[in-house]
Each structure stands twice: as C-alpha cells, then as structure tokens.
Amino acid sequence: MKMKFTSKIIAAIFIGGFAFSIASCGKKDKTPKKPEDEVLIKVYCSGEEYWTNKKYFRANSIGESLDQITSKKKAMANAKADLASSINTTIKGTIDNYVKSSEFNNTEEVLENFESLTREVINQELTGIKTICEKQTKTKEGKYKTYIALELSADKLVTKMNERLSKDERLRIDYNYEKFKDTFDKEMEKLENR
C-alpha cells in the first residue's frame, strides 16, 4: 500500500512537471531583444545623476578630435551651450510667471528690465560652473573623445539674481524676492519632473 502511494506521488510530480514545461513553451519572452547589428554603449558622464534637478542646473556633452585639448574644448563648449539654454528657458518662464502674477504698471517694460538684468547675471554666473564629471578616451582611429558634465547651483544663481534685481531702482519698488524665489522653485520642479 505504501508503494502504491509513493508511485502515485512520483507520477503526479512527473505529470505536473511535464504539464508545466508544455505550458511554459507557449509563453513568449517579453524581454526586448537588441537588434543583432547594434551594440549597447555606455556614455560616460551621462544618466540620471547628471540631470538637472531642483538644486542644480546640469548639462553633459561629448567632444571628439584628433587633438586631446580640442576634444575637451568641444565637449566644454557644447555642455556650456546646453547649460545656458536650460537656464535661459527656466529664467524666462520664471520671469514671465512672476510678472504676470504681480501688479506692475507697465508689464512690458518690467519684463524687458528683468530679462536684461537676468541675462547679465547668467553670463557672469556661467563662469562659475563646476565640472562634475570628465572622462577621456581614445578611439581605434586615434581620435580623442572627451565626456563632460557640468553643473551650476540654482540657489547661487537665484541669490545673484536677487542681488542684481534688488539694486535696480526701477524694479526695487515692486520686486518681492520671496515671490520671485517661489516662482523660480516651481520652474525648477518642472525641470526635475521631466
């Protein structure tokens, strides 16, 4: 009797395993396959840790040249241009939203003054950017590649903007730093949530 019971268990396990293997044969692997002619590459100084967030503006780029210094200059110039573009877009959104939500007498003139002053600050602050990643490689063809990532503190930028805006006699009367900073922070959150 014990023998029949054991052989039934073994038969049930065998049949269950066979049924499971047949059922799993019908399932398709949902993992995407990479095309055979493509190779996955790792881009240095790139990825989530190098994205703009609410504390820092960040940009990264690659420069390539037969000359090592030129490759670095290209990478730096491209990253600075990307950083400046991101900052300008954010500041423009901040100024537009700040001025629209305020009660200035001549909105158009105020916008022009804000934009002019903030351009000055941005140009000055771009000299204070920080390199947070730099890698150099040499290709099989003998070219140098420089990977670079830059950042600029959002708080430092808005502080410098505040200093400049609060010194302007035309704007000082209606300028409210807390409201401006709040508007700026909201624009930075939009960047982080992209």
Side-chain angles (χ1 to χ4, degrees):
M1 179 109 165
K2 192 174 186 182
M3 183 91 138
K4 283 184 177 181
F5 182 75
T6 306
S7 49
K8 285 182 181 180
I9 290 176
I10 292 172
I13 291 172
F14 178 75
I15 292 171
F18 182 71
F20 178 76
S21 65
I22 289 175
S24 64
C25 286
K27 292 182 182 175
K28 295 191 179 199
D29 185 13
K30 292 183 181 179
T31 307
K33 303 282 187 220
K34 75 174 183 68
E36 290 181 29
D37 62 336
E38 292 181 13
V39 177
L40 185 64
I41 59 171
K42 166 75 173 136
V43 179
Y44 300 111
C45 304
S46 178
E48 256 184 75
E49 66 268 30
Y50 300 105
W51 292 351
T52 294
N53 59 36
K54 58 185 170 187
K55 292 185 177 184
Y56 296 99
F57 287 99
R58 292 189 176 127
N60 58 346
S61 189
I62 303 169
E64 186 174 4
S65 176
L66 288 170
D67 178 67
Q68 188 175 8
I69 301 299
T70 303
S71 78
K72 182 175 179 174
K73 286 180 181 178
K74 284 181 175 181
M76 185 66 80
N78 291 338
K80 280 183 177 180
D82 287 350
L83 191 64
S85 175
S86 177
I87 292 168
N88 281 326
T89 301
T90 303
I91 297 302
K92 179 148 179 41
T94 300
I95 291 170
D96 287 347
N97 290 329
Y98 174 76
V99 172
K100 285 176 188 171
S101 67
S102 301
E103 294 178 15
F104 293 112
N105 292 334
N106 187 348
T107 304
E108 191 174 314
E109 182 184 333
V110 172
L111 270 172
E112 285 177 25
N113 289 336
F114 263 95
E115 288 173 359
S116 172
L117 291 173
T118 55
R119 266 194 302 275
E120 289 175 29
V121 172
I122 291 168
N123 290 337
Q124 290 169 0
E125 287 308 301
L126 282 177
T127 60
I129 58 172
K130 180 178 162 187
T131 301
I132 56 173
C133 180
E134 182 178 337
K135 305 266 186 210
Q136 289 190 323
T137 62
K138 193 169 184 179
T139 66
K140 291 178 186 175
E141 297 82 24
K143 290 184 176 182
Y144 292 94
K145 270 185 153 178
T146 301
Y147 300 82
I148 204 155
L150 307 173
E151 79 176 11
L152 180 66
S153 167
D155 282 341
K156 184 178 174 187
L157 179 66
V158 82
T159 299
K160 290 291 183 184
M161 288 174 58
N162 177 50
E163 287 172 13
R164 187 69 178 94
L165 292 169
S166 60
K167 288 179 183 174
D168 188 277
E169 288 185 32
R170 295 167 294 180
L171 297 175
R172 187 176 32 209
I173 297 165
D174 295 311
Y175 175 65
N176 178 330
Y177 173 70
E178 292 304 321
K179 188 173 182 180
F180 185 82
K181 174 93 168 78
D182 183 54
T183 307
F184 178 80
D185 289 343
K186 287 176 183 168
E187 289 296 316
M188 290 301 290
E189 284 177 23
K190 288 180 192 175
L191 281 175
E192 186 170 16
N193 294 328
R194 278 195 294 170

